[in-house]
Amino acid sequence: MQQIKTQIRDIPDFPAPGIVFKDLTPVIRDANSLRRITRKLAEPFQQSKITAVAGMEARGFIFGALVAQELGVGFVPLRKPGKLPSDTHSVAYELEYGKTMLEMHTDAVTVKDRVLLVDDVLATGGTAAASYELVGKSNAEIAGCAFVIELDFLNGRKQLPPQNVHSLIHF
Ligand code: AMP
C-alpha cells in the first residue's frame, strides 16, 4: 500500500479553494495497483456473507463494481439525483465541499441483503452516512464499509457504526 500511496496525486484547491483533492486516476491506470486495491478492499469481507456491494457515484462505481466481482456478488449504484430511471429512495446530505443528494432504486436491495458500501475516499463521512441511511430505507443490513483512502483528520469514521469500517490508506 505504501507504493500505491505514492501514486495518489494531491490537487490543491480542487474542486473548491482549501480542498486538497486526492486524485486516484494514476492508481486506477496501473493494472497492478488496481488489482491489489480490489483484493485488499474485498479481503476483510470474504467471509461476511455479503450479497451486494453498493457504490457511491462516481468513483465508488469503479471500486465498488470491482469489489463486487471479487466477492462474487452484484453491484448497486447509489446515484446523484435524477439519474436513476425507476422508483427511488433518496437522502440529502452535506459534502466536504457543498450539498447534494443520493438516490437508490427502491427494489435494488431487500431485507434479505447484507450490503458492503464501497467508496474511494472517506472524508467528513457525510456521503457514507447518507449511503448507510439510503440502503437502510430498503431494510437491508449493512455488513461493512470499505474505502481506498481515509482522511483521518476529518473524523468521518465517527459518522459510521464503528464495526467493520475498513480503509486501505490513511492521510
Ligand atoms: P465526505 O462525504 O466528506 O466523506 O466525502 C466523501 C466523498 O467526496 C467521496 O465520494 C469522495 O469521492 C469525495 N471527496 C471528498 N473529499 C475528497 C478529497 N479530499 N479528495 C478526493 N475526493 C474527495
Side-chain angles (χ1 to χ4, degrees), residues 19-23 56-57 59 93-97 119-128 151:
I19 304 288
V20 179
F21 191 86
K22 297 291 181 192
D23 179 18
M56 300 76 138
E57 185 165 356
R59 291 175 295 276
Y93 68 101
E94 302 267 346
L95 266 181
E96 192 183 0
Y97 39 77
D119 203 0
D120 62 337
V121 177
L122 176 63
T124 65
T127 306
L151 303 180

Side-chain angles (χ1 to χ4, degrees), residues 2-66:
Q2 212 47 43
Q3 192 248 332
I4 291 176
K5 197 169 183 175
T6 65
Q7 293 179 315
I8 298 167
R9 194 159 53 180
D10 276 357
I11 311 286
D13 299 320
F14 183 88
I19 304 288
V20 179
F21 191 86
K22 297 291 181 192
D23 179 18
L24 280 159
T25 59
V27 178
I28 61 176
R29 177 67 180 85
D30 181 320
N32 286 327
S33 298
L34 191 57
R35 193 176 311 115
R36 209 169 330 144
I37 279 186
T38 303
R39 285 206 190 120
K40 283 282 172 195
L41 284 172
E43 202 172 73
F45 302 100
Q46 286 286 5
Q47 309 304 325
S48 301
K49 298 188 167 63
I50 302 294
T51 62
V53 172
M56 300 76 138
E57 185 165 356
R59 291 175 295 276
F61 291 177
I62 299 167
F63 297 105
L66 287 165

